Every structure is written in C-alpha cells, then in structure tokens.
Amino acid sequence: MEFEPVLTRNLGVPNIGDLKVYQSRGGYEALRQALASPRNELKQTVKDSGLRGRGGAGFFAGVKWDFLPADHPGPFYLVVNFDESEPGTFKDRYLCDIDPHQILEGVIVTAYINRIDTAYIFIRGEFHHQAEVLQRTIKQAYKEGLLGKNILSSDYSLECVLHRGAGAYICGEETGMLEALEGKRGWPRLKPPYPAVAGAFGQPTVINNVETLCCVPPIIQRGADWFKSMGTKKSTGPKLYGISGHVNRPGVVELPLGVPCRELIEKHAGGVRDSKRCKGVIPGGVSMGVLTRDELDCPLDFEGPPRYGCMGLGTAGVIVMDEDTCMVTALRNIVRFFAHESCGQCTGCREGSGWMLQILNRLLGGQGRGRDLELLLDLADAQGMAPGKTICGLSDGTAWAARTFINKYRSEFEAKVSTRDRVAV
Amino acid sequence: MVWQAETRQAPLTPPEEPALDDKLRRQIRAMFKQYPTKRAVLLPALHRIQQQHRCLSPQALAEVAELLELSPAEVMDTASFYDMYSTTPRGRHVIGVCESLSCELCGGGELLTALRDKLGVEPGQTTADGKFTLITMQCLGACDFAPAVLIDETLYKCVTTEQLDEILGALD
Ligand SMILES: Cc1cc2nc3c(=O)[nH]c(=O)nc-3n(C[C@H](O)[C@H](O)[C@H](O)COP(=O)(O)O)c2cc1C
Ligand code: SF4
Ligand code: FES
C-alpha cells in the first residue's frame, strides 16, 4: 500500500503558514470535531491508537495523560517540548518550517482533552526564525478565536505562551525544562513526583514533544485503527526521520515506523556521498549509540535499535558516517557534547564525561595508555539513569555512545593506544 | 582565631541612571500576566536585556532582580547557567559555528579554522575592533544544512570556506 503522508501532508503548499490557507486544507477541522466530543472518548482514541512519544523515550501518550489527577481542581498545564537540541535532530524545526499551524492545532486539541488552562511552548533559544513564525501563528489564532476565551464559541478557553530557552541542551529533559520555565537554572528534578502530578509551578503538567502533538489531530479525525494501520504492532503511525552526515540528500522524510535503516539511507537519502561505503550509522540522535555497516537491516521503530545494542530509537535523527570516518574522533565529538552540556548535578556525569573527553583526546594525540579502553567503559558504567546512578538521562547518552562505539569498533580504538603501551600490557 | 573577612569588592558606585530604561521595564512587566510567578519572566526578560545591551551587566541584573522581586544572586544563578547569556560584552556580531557531529562530518572543523585565521581570534574572543565575536555552538538543529553557522539571529546553511569573505563582508 502506498504510504500517504500525514505530518507532511501540507508540504510545499504556498502560504500554508497563513491561517486561511491552512483552513482551506482542512485545518482546525479536528479541533472543531474534538470540541464537540467528550474528553474521555478522545483520550481513549489516542490510547487505542498506540501513539508513543516522539521526543526520545517513546512513552505512550494516552497513558501519560491518564496520570493527571482526576480530582484536581486546576490549573493544569501543557508544556510543549520544542527544545530539539539532540545532535542529529531537526524534525520539529522542519514541522514548524513546513506547517506551523499544524503544531498549534495539535497543542489546542491535546490541551482540550486534558482540561489544560495554559500551554507553554518551550522553544530552544537558537530557533530565532521559528520563534518568530510561531509567535505570528499564535497571534493569528487568538485573533480568529482559536485561542483565548471560548474557543470557537465553545465553553473551552486556553491561553498559549511561547517561551524561549537560552541555549542549554538539558532543558530538553522535561523537568530541566520546567525549571527553565520557572526562571531557574535548567537542573533536572528528582522523580517522583512526575510532572503529571507536580510539574510546572507545582501543578499537574503534561509534557509532550512537538511531533507527538502533531499526531493527535489526525488520530481524532481518522481514528485509532487508521493510525495503527501504519507502522508495526508496537510502534504505530508515521514518523519523521531526519537524515544527515555523509549522505547525498540530507533532510527529513516521513515514513511508517519500522523502515529498515538501509532502505532509509539508500532509497530516501540518496545513499552515501561520493559512492563511498557506509561505516556506521547513529539511529536516533547521538545518545543512542551506533549501528555498524553489518547492522543496517535494523528496523527503525521503538523495538529495533535495542536489538542491536543501541539504547533505542531516540529522536530518529539518523547520522550516517562513511568509510573514511575515524570512529574515535566521532566518539570524541559526542563525548565533548555531553561534557559541555552536563548540568553538573551528578558526579558520574559531570566528572565522568570530562575524564572521558580527556582520555579520548589522549588517544587521538597518540598518547593512549593500555588501560584506557577499560577505563572509558568503567566510566560509562558509572553513570546513567537506567542503573539509577544519575538524576536524568543525559548521561545515559554518554554511556551508550561510548559503549557501542568502543565495543563495535574495538580494533580502531586499540590502534590508538600507543605502541609502547600496547607491548607493555 | 576567627576567620577574618575582608571586603573584596569595591562598593558599587550608584549608577547615574538606571540600566533598564522605561520601555524595557514596561515590556518586562507586561509579561507578568502570562505566568503564575514573577520569576518565570526571568528568561524572557534576560533575552530582551541582552538583545538591547548586548550583554548582561551587574547593574542590569540587579535591576531585573528588583523588578521580579528576587535577590541578585538568584538572577545571577540563572543567568550564568545559559550559553546564550553573556555577562561580558560581545562584538557587534556573534558568529557561532556548530561543532556537533553532523557538522563536523561535513566540514565544520575546517570552517572554524578558516574563521580563526580570518578573524585572528580564538573561539570565545572578540576582534580588536569589537566587530566580531567567534564562538562554537552545539548542534543548531540544522544538520540537514551542515555545516551550519548562526550569525546573530540568522542561520547560514551549508557554508563553505569560500563563502566566508562574502558573508563577513556583508555584515556592517
Ligand atoms: C537529556 C535529555 C534531553 C532531551 N531533549 C529532548 C528534546 O530536545 N525534545 C524532546 O521532545 N524531548 C527531549 N527529551 C525527552 C523529554 O524528557 C520527554 O521525555 C519528552 O519531551 C516527552 O514527550 P513525548 O512523550 O511526547 O516524547 C530529552 C530527554 C533527556 C534525558
Ligand atoms: S545526569 Fe548529568 S545532566 Fe542529568 S541531572 Fe545529572 S549531572 Fe545533570
Ligand atoms: S550538528 Fe550542526 S546543526 Fe546539527
């Protein structure tokens, strides 16, 4: 069956950022439909659709919404995660570039379902242009009665505020984001309590990624079964894949979840540049680890990458590296990123990433010592949330990248240990 | 013996006039109604101050603290956390070269070297004429246009070293 684009349905429509044009393409019909439906039914539809979060963790959206305390009198907040700072990821920016009203419709429908009073769209500070576009979009929506008091003459009211970040990857982590929203340094909070119970300003808060929210209106309009007809059993629906690095046609493509990595690169990104061979592929942002050239059959859905030793699908920001890439240099780049972005609260993450960077620099400078690879792996094991060693998942990214790069390209790393030391061990 | 404290800082000379002008104060106050706390206005307020003053001076931080009913230390605590805020003045144009993976794979490193040579400064430094500050940045969310450079508020896509003279020349 030919795949019919969902999130990119309005790609290339002239002036789609204009409300009238968006409406002429069926825009805000889902909102109308939602406002006339009971909230429970809508939430059930989203749950039945199997929609999973597109921000990195893949948590079921409808299930998360269920954690909001039913007896809370309000207020409830929605915080939209448009921080998009994971290296290799640019799909949310793309959504805003090709169809900004689509984002807002997703926000309003989701807010309605969850009885939200105020939605804060948290956009990373470096997205100057996109912030301007969204600000305009929000203004238009207020003017046309799609935001504010009594939306489309219903009894539902919603305020929407665009909030700009100020250059810190950690604010993509949902509780770091809440701290930034509250005017503090973006230090992730210890959980529990989870944001659904005590989030922004201490109130119950839904946090979702931009792409997740964009899936909601189509689900409301076309139903759970339609959504489930795309993708795999456990990873339903369409997905935006961002492809960058050594490919002929970098960019974003929308495909059903589960496309094999090889097909994505060969068919949708024009293959590896300069007719070179592929050496390794990062499946979903640099936090996830790496797939080797022999692992490219890996389906890019939520279950695929873990079967190949990676942490997960992540953001589906795929980075392709050709045969000439030095994997030690690539890992150094990734570790440098995490060392720079560590918020500093947890020792394993703050110190560990810095030490790892030093060791990698030493290896690349020809000064590698015999025990360095084990030391790197030890440091990776001393951080991360999965075994409960740190507050947030940032350092899991450091750990998974280091583990997979070193284990899968071991000989390349060993070759960097200075010959004198190699003999000695 | 008790530990003796010295005054390590010269007392702040009271400024002739406030760092934040009336318009800026009005703009900041206008944002109060969008949030349940005044403190939540801090990031947007700092953005506005930095945009107007090109840096966050101690005096401006103290004044914004007063406006938001915070202590100056709380404001400093937040301001110092974020890369986009600078407490020292930057050049007229800030050139940010992305140093993350996709850009590095596509020649971001060479671009940075070329800029260093052309401007004669290291990342973090400002040219002597105060025109350019060169910085490195983490992934700009524009990896489809690697290597990417952010100059002030404008994204430059797929930049080559050959284009640098033209790009720099067009900035006043
Ligand atoms: C270090 C770190 C950075 C993150 N950055 C982002 C981000 O930029 N955008 C995003 O949507 N989610 C990001 N997340 C995931 C969020 O914490 C959260 O899971 C997500 O916003 C939930 O939305 P979803 O369920 O719709 O995916 C990050 C997580 C961590 C640990
Ligand atoms: S794991 Fe790292 S980024 Fe996360 S809270 Fe701890 S120190 Fe901060
Ligand atoms: S790696 Fe440079 S923009 Fe993403």
Side-chain angles (χ1 to χ4, degrees):
Chain A
M1 198 177 69
E2 188 62 22
F3 171 69
E4 179 201 339
V6 181
L7 305 172
T8 56
R9 61 186 178 277
N10 290 332
L11 175 63
V13 175
N15 299 321
I16 189 67
D18 194 342
L19 179 62
K20 292 275 169 314
V21 178
Y22 180 68
Q23 280 171 324
S24 75
R25 301 266 312 164
Y28 291 109
E29 282 307 314
L31 174 61
R32 250 172 242 285
Q33 193 181 327
L35 290 173
S37 317
R39 293 188 160 97
N40 275 346
E41 258 172 45
L42 297 170
K43 190 156 75 179
Q44 195 56 46
T45 307
V46 174
K47 266 175 145 172
D48 292 343
S49 75
L51 172 63
R52 297 174 68 168
R54 266 54 171 161
F59 197 80
F60 291 93
V63 175
K64 179 147 80 181
W65 301 348
D66 258 350
F67 294 148
L68 293 174
D71 53 357
H72 182 72
F76 292 92
Y77 293 112
L78 171 64
V79 180
V80 181
N81 197 336
F82 195 173
D83 194 59
E84 191 152 80
S85 310
E86 171 84 13
T89 312
F90 42 94
K91 64 188 180 67
D92 300 337
R93 185 215 80 214
Y94 181 79
L95 273 175
C96 182
D97 288 347
I98 63 162
D99 198 1
H101 271 291
Q102 179 185 202
I103 298 179
L104 206 54
E105 185 169 9
V107 170
I108 306 171
V109 172
T110 304
Y112 169 75
I113 297 175
N114 293 296
R115 295 189 288 146
I116 305 283
D117 304 84
T118 307
Y120 293 104
I121 302 180
F122 192 103
I123 183 170
R124 66 177 294 188
E126 294 85 350
F127 281 165
H128 297 279
H129 174 68
Q130 287 72 18
E132 240 172 70
V133 169
L134 273 186
Q135 196 70 66
R136 230 180 6 247
T137 309
I138 292 171
K139 209 168 147 190
Q140 267 185 0
Y142 265 107
K143 217 170 112 207
E144 299 296 321
L146 295 159
L147 279 174
K149 290 250 170 305
N150 301 100
I151 293 176
L152 296 172
S153 313
S154 69
D155 59 5
Y156 178 61
S157 305
L158 173 70
E159 298 299 326
C160 181
V161 177
L162 188 71
H163 192 91
R164 291 179 59 217
Y169 166 68
I170 195 57
C171 294
E173 198 280 343
E174 52 190 21
T175 57
M177 173 167 293
L178 295 177
E179 292 288 301
L181 177 67
E182 293 180 10
K184 302 173 193 158
R185 45 176 52 214
W187 271 358
R189 299 175 183 170
L190 267 174
K191 287 148 276 218
Y194 289 93
V197 177
F201 311 104
Q203 304 296 331
T205 302
V206 173
I207 302 170
N208 276 122
N209 170 261
V210 166
E211 186 187 351
T212 315
L213 295 175
C214 287
C215 291
V216 177
I219 291 174
I220 297 304
Q221 276 189 302
R222 304 177 69 173
D225 287 334
W226 163 79
F227 196 76
K228 280 195 292 195
S229 72
M230 292 168 279
T232 69
K233 201 156 178 289
K234 287 185 176 162
S235 303
T236 58
K239 181 81 193 78
L240 295 180
Y241 293 96
I243 314 160
S244 63
H246 295 142
V247 287
N248 280 311
R249 283 199 314 271
V252 175
V253 284
E254 183 183 18
L255 291 167
L257 271 163
V259 59
C261 194
R262 189 188 318 278
E263 185 184 321
L264 188 72
I265 298 166
E266 297 299 330
K267 199 165 145 199
H268 301 283
V272 180
R273 251 171 31 177
D274 304 328
S275 323
K276 291 208 174 119
R277 286 183 77 191
C278 173
K279 183 170 193 176
V281 176
I282 284 167
V286 296
S287 299
M288 293 297 131
V290 64
L291 297 167
T292 66
R293 150 166 83 212
D294 301 323
E295 298 172 329
L296 296 185
D297 291 326
C298 173
L300 294 178
D301 54 35
F302 293 106
E303 275 72 42
R307 287 206 296 272
Y308 293 82
C310 292
M311 183 151 75
L313 178 65
T315 60
V318 174
I319 305 177
V320 178
M321 294 171 279
D322 71 17
E323 56 190 325
D324 297 338
T325 311
C326 165
M327 292 318 225
V328 186
T329 311
L331 179 62
R332 188 220 358 221
N333 184 294
I334 296 172
V335 169
R336 182 178 64 191
F337 172 78
F338 287 117
H340 184 272
E341 296 298 333
S342 167
C343 86
Q345 287 188 99
C346 320
T347 316
C349 173
R350 181 188 65 239
E351 307 298 322
S353 57
W355 291 336
M356 288 166 82
L357 181 59
Q358 274 184 29
I359 297 172
L360 286 161
N361 277 333
R362 182 156 84 208
L363 285 169
L364 285 165
Q367 305 290 312
R369 301 178 194 157
R371 275 203 67 242
D372 275 354
L373 303 192
E374 298 323 309
L375 199 51
L376 280 171
L377 291 171
D378 280 353
L379 287 167
D381 283 342
Q383 52 185 308
M385 222 170 85
K389 290 173 180 151
T390 47
I391 297 173
C392 93
L394 180 138
S395 57
D396 292 271
T398 327
W400 284 82
R403 268 186 220 126
T404 53
F405 269 82
I406 296 171
N407 289 332
K408 294 187 184 187
Y409 299 93
R410 181 108 195 170
S411 58
E412 211 174 309
F413 280 83
E414 274 167 357
K416 295 284 181 198
V417 174
S418 80
T419 26
R420 198 194 54 212
D421 246 40
R422 251 187 283 165
V423 177
V425 197
Chain B
M1 200 185 88
V2 218
W3 178 74
Q4 283 188 336
E6 274 177 68
T7 317
R8 282 173 226 180
Q9 252 181 347
L12 271 180
T13 34
E16 311 247 308
E17 50 187 287
L20 309 184
D21 62 27
D22 283 343
K23 188 163 163 230
L24 204 49
R25 283 164 190 270
R26 265 201 310 278
Q27 285 175 341
I28 292 172
R29 282 204 197 91
M31 291 187 281
F32 286 165
K33 62 176 191 303
Q34 298 183 316
Y35 303 89
T37 66
K38 285 189 176 166
R39 182 165 188 164
V41 171
L42 187 49
L43 261 60
L46 294 178
H47 273 308
R48 277 169 198 267
I49 300 168
Q50 166 127 342
Q51 198 187 25
Q52 196 177 346
H53 299 181
R54 273 195 271 137
C55 89
L56 303 171
S57 65
Q59 181 60 31
L61 290 177
E63 287 179 26
V64 84
E66 204 183 339
L67 262 176
L68 305 192
E69 292 166 31
L70 298 169
S71 72
E74 285 170 314
V75 171
M76 193 60 210
D77 184 55
T78 299
S80 61
F81 186 77
Y82 297 96
D83 279 1
M84 283 176 76
Y85 302 135
S86 173
T87 45
T88 49
R90 288 176 163 179
R92 260 200 323 283
H93 300 288
V94 178
I95 304 177
V97 182
C98 173
E99 64 170 3
S100 292
L101 188 56
S102 299
C103 286
E104 185 172 278
L105 293 172
C106 295
E110 290 79 51
L111 210 55
L112 183 62
T113 308
L115 275 164
R116 266 185 174 130
D117 290 348
K118 273 188 203 308
L119 302 174
V121 291
E122 290 300 308
Q125 295 177 341
T126 302
T127 53
D129 59 1
K131 190 164 172 186
F132 298 114
T133 299
L134 179 65
I135 58 171
T136 54
M137 295 184 89
Q138 310 307 314
C139 178
L140 293 167
C143 331
D144 42 348
F145 301 117
V149 179
L150 185 71
I151 304 184
D152 303 326
E153 300 192 352
T154 309
L155 182 75
Y156 289 74
K157 305 169 177 176
C158 308
V159 183
T160 61
T161 38
E162 290 77 42
Q163 291 168 343
L164 287 178
D165 283 330
E166 197 188 326
I167 293 174
L168 295 181
L171 300 167
D172 58 356

